Amino acid sequence: MGIEGVGARVARKEDKRFITGAGRYVDDMVVPGMKHAAFVRSPHAHAQIKKIDVRTAQGMPGVIGVLTGKELKADGIGNLICGWMIHSKDGSPMKMGAWSPLAVDKVRYVGDAVVIVVAETKGQARDAAEAVEITYKELKAVVDATTALEKGAPQVHAEAENNLIFDWEIGDGKATDAAIKAAAHVTRMKIVNNRLVPNAMEPRAALGHYDKAEDHYTCWTTSQNPHVARLVMSAFYNVAPENKLRVIAPDVGGGFGSKIYIYPEEIVCLWASKKTGVPVKWVADRTESFLTDAHGRDHVSTVEMAFDKNNRITGLKVDTIANLGAYMSLFSSCVPTYLYATLLSGQYDIPAIHANVRTVYTNTAPVDAYRGAGRPEATYLLERTMEAAARELGVSPADLRRKNFITTFPHQTPVIMNYDAGDYATSLDAAMKTADYAGFAARKADAAGKGKLRGIGMSCYIEACGIAPSAAVGSLGAGVGLWESAEVRVNAVGTIEVLTGSHSHGQGHETTFAQLVNQRFGVPIDSVSIVHGDTDKVQMGMGTYGSRSGAVGMSAIAKALDKVEAKAKKIAAHLLEADEGDIVIENGEVKVAGTDKSLPWFQVALAAYTAHNLPAGMEPGLKETAFYDPANFTFPAGCYICEVEIDPETGTTEIVQFVAADDFGNIINPMIVEGQVHGGIAQGVGQALLEGAHYDASGQLLTASYMDYTMPRAGDLPSFKVSTSNTPCPSNPLGIKGCGEAGAIGSPPAVINAITDAIGIADIAMPATPSTVWAAIRAAKH
């Protein structure tokens, strides 16, 4: 390991521009002649549009255009789609209701876009938007998924009877029922996973520019996967032919899944630019983000976990109702199915599993992937149930988990996944040692002496990330492949450009990807540039989500580096009159092993481009492309332990200790990995203690600002104790696993397990706010 190579704690290259305010975000982009857009959004959760009168708005100062859904449809712009087909257990396809980028006849949630106003300034656009007169016939709304399934509930889409999108199952129902019937003990629970709003630091934005002279469109957008955005806008939404559409995702201030999808706004801004003849920029305000960004989670489940007389799990039966909101977002269908139910085995050897999942339309914002995407929901359900089972059986939660761990690999679960490697006991031991688990009883007694309630909880999580392979996900309904691409360009002076289909929006790719190049060729990371986020510069790629950039994106880079290395060695062998097998590249030099013969790296690169003395038949240049399609998911796993102290008089919960022991396989940059874990835990703690999106019965979002939606702050979090172990992933050339979502997956159950332990109750709802905890303490006393 060099000081800048794989495994080194290298400070992030990109941070200099971010912390000095030099980042370039969509809202920083200025195009000559650019104007500003505001959207008129539905104030009702469910209503028919009877009339739209734009005449007053059109006559207001600075207004250039006021456009409606009928005009958009007349121009042939298509409806938004869900890109993953799920079939119900009876074989019928999912019921996808129409989602027009601008509503035409009906609105289905508060925030549904109806009209776009384009004006000289943002203020003028907003003023004119308020002058648009829309006559609605308000309809009854439904916001709760369980209620939406009842007969007589308001119908969100005509295509989906009783609002049921699909009724899907996985696993062996008969074997699972038999295991439950024969069990020595069955733990039964109702598990609710609360709805969350992603709240990326940078709100969504879009700038659409139609160049009439070139008949070409450019879209700057806050996207995690610009190539997919271009593909979908071209192939399905009919915005423009793919060869006439450029999508650029510059610096993006966080995504957490919410910027994977194509939203109405970027489609409409591109269309409006052609319609009005001016570039059109829209930037969401924070309330728009609360209302219209895809929300996360929102599951209600019942679970039965069966044990034999030796406390080994024999069966797991799960029934889940997942709220998908008013429309099916791009990947919404796979989150509560193949990203959730396939992880219900967790770290445990469970012979029989069956899960039934019903997804439901409601008059709320669409729900899709949010950091972890299905894996947090599965882990929360499993780890809350394991904790409850340990208490019911009167055994240590750690011992019950250890008894049921999978210990031999590869391991085929009953729900599709084949775990390739892992060592769960090592993570459990590391977490327990760091947390001084054995000394907890003394700390609990000390807290009691001060009038405080102290509790400890653990969570043993596993996730599947680097979603793959393409043929497998295609057979399960995915509309795209999930490979990744890379191009490595060595310039004539030896500097290197890496063009990647992955997208960085906080992950540190400009540093870690450069470290991989440094490890291979020994060139300084400052001489390596990482290029991403522009469909005109970078070949087709699939973007960043699901902790895939390392395992999939970097593997593609490694394959391209293999090709560059092979060619460079051929050139060097020719120039040094040596055998190709004796050539080594290290520390920025190309050497003949065992001799003093060498060339500086730049001289080999220069030779490739001058082409004065190349091996016979070799093409000039030193540039290679690779595509990598993974053979399997990667399976990061770990153990988290949370210790809390509760003030029974106020219900305030303080996390006094949080320990994370993770197995991420080989690690490129430990400092960046630690930062990812810290951020994930912060979001998980936010879900457990503070965050929750709430609608009233009429469909109004009650938590549409930071006045009502509580985000975690520094004072809510302890100093995390994090460590890693390493079972290298055998399924990719670098042996690495994803790390970006682990913290958000493993932390919520650990926190809630600790709170319920402190109070001495079976369950408590997330978020466990002071008022919720206070009420639970009072109820436990009676």
Side-chain angles (χ1 to χ4, degrees):
M1 180 185 77
I3 59 171
E4 293 185 333
V6 170
R9 299 177 68 87
V10 177
R12 297 193 343 164
K13 292 170 60 179
E14 49 269 71
D15 282 351
K16 182 178 180 181
R17 74 173 185 272
F18 292 144
I19 63 178
T20 58
R24 295 275 290 165
Y25 301 90
V26 172
D27 196 27
D28 295 315
M29 303 300 161
V30 177
V31 177
M34 183 183 78
K35 310 305 177 187
H36 297 268
F39 284 85
V40 182
R41 301 185 182 278
S42 170
H44 305 295
H46 200 196
Q48 292 175 348
I49 300 171
K50 291 299 186 182
K51 183 181 178 183
I52 300 175
D53 188 342
V54 301
R55 289 172 295 178
T56 301
Q58 285 174 328
M60 292 184 69
V63 171
I64 293 163
V66 184
L67 306 171
T68 68
K70 285 186 177 178
E71 294 166 273
L72 179 128
K73 288 298 166 190
D75 285 348
I77 302 298
N79 292 326
L80 283 86
I81 62 161
C82 176
W84 196 303
M85 172 56 72
I86 298 292
H87 288 84
S88 290
K89 55 193 178 187
D90 66 2
S92 61
M94 63 191 189
K95 307 300 190 291
M96 186 163 57
W99 184 5
S100 173
L102 292 176
V104 178
D105 301 313
K106 195 177 185 184
V107 290
R108 293 179 172 85
Y109 73 103
V110 174
D112 217 347
V114 183
V115 173
I116 182 174
V117 177
V118 180
E120 293 285 344
T121 69
K122 186 183 293 186
Q124 289 173 331
R126 289 180 174 178
D127 288 344
E130 291 182 8
V132 174
E133 296 179 14
I134 304 175
T135 304
Y136 294 99
K137 180 185 178 183
E138 196 170 354
L139 305 172
K140 284 186 178 180
V142 61
V143 298
D144 175 77
T146 304
T147 305
L149 288 171
E150 295 174 358
K151 268 197 167 184
Q155 187 78 21
V156 181
H157 289 277
E159 297 90 340
E161 186 178 354
N162 294 326
N163 298 308
L164 180 67
I165 302 170
F166 56 77
D167 184 355
W168 175 89
E169 67 177 348
I170 191 172
D172 188 332
K174 287 183 179 179
T176 305
D177 288 341
I180 292 168
K181 187 175 181 181
H185 177 83
V186 179
T187 293
R188 294 179 171 88
M189 294 191 76
K190 178 182 178 182
I191 302 289
V192 177
N193 211 288
N194 48 321
R195 178 183 280 238
L196 303 173
V197 180
N199 278 304
M201 187 179 294
E202 178 200 20
R204 288 190 299 111
L207 168 56
H209 180 205
Y210 174 67
D211 184 332
K212 186 176 181 180
E214 298 287 341
D215 188 27
H216 187 274
Y217 297 78
T218 304
C219 178
W220 289 263
T221 179
T222 47
S223 175
Q224 298 177 216
N225 49 354
H227 280 97
V228 175
R230 183 175 76 154
L231 171 66
V232 173
M233 284 196 285
S234 169
F236 297 99
Y237 306 154
N238 304 320
V239 174
E242 197 170 6
N243 65 313
K244 292 183 176 292
L245 174 59
R246 179 184 186 185
V247 176
I248 304 170
D251 289 330
V252 173
F256 313 119
S258 69
K259 293 174 182 173
I260 298 172
Y261 329 112
I262 293 82
Y263 288 89
E265 289 85 4
E266 47 261 48
I267 300 167
V268 174
C269 283
L270 281 168
W271 168 73
S273 176
K274 184 175 184 180
K275 202 79 172 167
T276 60
V278 297
V280 176
K281 180 195 278 187
W282 166 81
V283 179
D285 63 32
R286 188 54 68 178
T287 291
E288 276 185 297
S289 295
F290 272 102
L291 290 172
T292 65
D293 287 4
H295 291 181
R297 317 291 191 245
D298 206 346
H299 285 196
V300 177
S301 301
T302 57
V303 56
E304 296 175 278
M305 182 180 282
F307 294 85
D308 66 16
K309 63 182 181 180
N310 298 315
N311 295 342
R312 294 193 67 87
I313 306 170
T314 57
L316 179 73
K317 187 179 182 71
V318 176
D319 184 85
T320 296
I321 298 173
N323 187 346
L324 294 192
Y327 302 101
M328 294 192 77
S329 181
L330 191 63
F331 290 126
S332 59
S333 59
C334 70
V335 174
T337 53
Y338 292 113
L339 297 183
Y340 162 71
T342 57
L343 272 299
L344 286 172
S345 192
Q347 296 186 6
Y348 311 115
D349 188 357
I350 306 177
I353 300 175
H354 181 262
N356 197 94
V357 177
R358 288 169 288 169
T359 54
V360 184
Y361 285 122
T362 62
N363 296 114
T364 62
V367 176
D368 209 317
Y370 169 64
R371 197 170 191 169
R375 283 72 54 88
E377 295 91 318
T379 298
Y380 187 75
L381 180 145
L382 199 58
E383 291 305 291
R384 286 290 297 118
T385 307
M386 284 295 284
E387 197 81 9
R391 295 172 191 175
E392 292 173 3
L393 292 165
V395 299
S396 158
D399 290 346
L400 184 63
R401 288 173 168 88
R402 192 186 302 274
K403 180 184 283 283
N404 286 282
F405 278 161
I406 297 161
T407 56
T408 58
F409 297 88
H411 174 84
Q412 179 63 54
T413 74
V415 280
I416 294 181
M417 293 300 180
N418 187 282
Y419 300 167
D420 53 11
D423 184 355
Y424 309 141
T426 293
S427 294
L428 175 63
D429 291 341
M432 291 178 71
K433 181 179 179 180
T434 302
D436 185 20
Y437 197 82
F440 171 71
R443 296 193 297 276
K444 185 178 180 72
D446 288 344
K450 300 170 188 173
K452 299 293 179 68
L453 303 174
R454 200 170 181 112
I456 196 165
M458 67 169 51
S459 165
C460 293
Y461 79 90
I462 189 168
E463 61 162 322
C465 54
I467 185 169
S470 295
V473 297
S475 71
L476 300 177
V480 293
L482 292 171
W483 44 265
E484 196 47 87
S485 68
E487 181 180 331
V488 176
R489 298 177 182 171
V490 181
N491 298 317
V493 293
T495 57
I496 297 173
E497 297 167 37
V498 176
L499 291 82
T500 172
S502 301
H503 185 275
S504 184
H505 39 276
Q507 291 84 356
H509 293 172
E510 292 175 39
T511 304
T512 52
F513 289 8
Q515 285 181 257
L516 188 62
V517 177
N518 168 272
Q519 183 78 12
R520 187 67 69 98
F521 300 138
V523 297
I525 63 172
D526 284 340
S527 70
V528 181
S529 299
I530 309 300
V531 181
H532 67 94
D534 187 336
T535 61
D536 269 17
K537 292 182 179 178
V538 180
Q539 69 287 341
M540 178 74 176
M542 300 312 297
T544 294
Y545 41 86
S547 301
R548 71 191 305 271
S549 294
V552 188
M554 291 185 80
S555 291
I557 295 171
K559 284 188 67 177
L561 289 172
D562 289 344
K563 297 177 183 179
V564 169
E565 180 180 355
K567 185 171 184 180
K569 284 182 174 180
K570 283 185 171 67
I571 295 171
H574 178 73
L575 295 175
L576 294 169
E577 298 179 340
D579 188 273
E580 189 181 325
D582 293 331
I583 301 294
V584 294
I585 304 175
E586 58 186 21
N587 300 321
E589 290 189 317
V590 186
K591 306 175 182 178
V592 181
T595 74
D596 60 358
K597 297 171 68 176
S598 68
L599 291 170
W601 170 255
F602 81 87
Q603 199 166 324
V604 176
L606 187 62
Y609 288 96
T610 59
H612 294 162
N613 185 15
L614 292 176
M618 178 179 282
E619 294 180 357
L622 195 52
K623 179 186 83 167
E624 298 289 349
T625 298
F627 288 76
Y628 175 74
D629 196 3
N632 195 1
F633 291 82
T634 71
F635 297 98
C639 177
Y640 290 179
I641 295 177
C642 177
E643 197 166 330
V644 301
E645 202 167 83
I646 299 171
D647 184 341
E649 299 303 315
T650 64
T652 302
T653 299
E654 178 188 358
I655 298 177
V656 293
Q657 179 177 227
F658 199 103
V659 174
D662 296 291
D663 177 359
F664 295 134
N666 295 331
I667 289 175
I668 305 298
N669 186 319
M671 185 162 54
I672 286 178
V673 168
E674 288 164 13
Q676 288 284 341
V677 174
H678 288 182
I681 295 171
Q683 284 182 277
V685 168
Q687 174 172 16
L689 295 182
L690 303 164
E691 297 183 52
H694 297 284
Y695 288 86
D696 69 12
S698 70
Q700 294 295 326
L701 182 61
L702 301 177
T703 49
S705 78
Y706 292 132
M707 294 291 288
D708 304 297
Y709 188 97
T710 310
M711 297 285 285
R713 300 184 181 189
D716 299 311
L717 305 168
S719 181
F720 306 124
K721 299 174 183 177
V722 302
S723 65
T724 57
S725 55
N726 181 3
T727 55
C729 174
S731 303
N732 64 65
L734 299 173
I736 58 181
K737 307 175 185 180
C739 71
E741 296 166 293
I745 292 168
S747 54
V751 175
I752 297 300
N753 287 341
I755 292 172
T756 54
D757 177 59
I759 301 173
I761 56 175
D763 198 18
I764 192 167
M766 293 193 293
T769 61
S771 62
T772 300
V773 172
W774 185 88
I777 293 169
R778 294 299 173 276
K781 288 181 177 179
H782 296 91

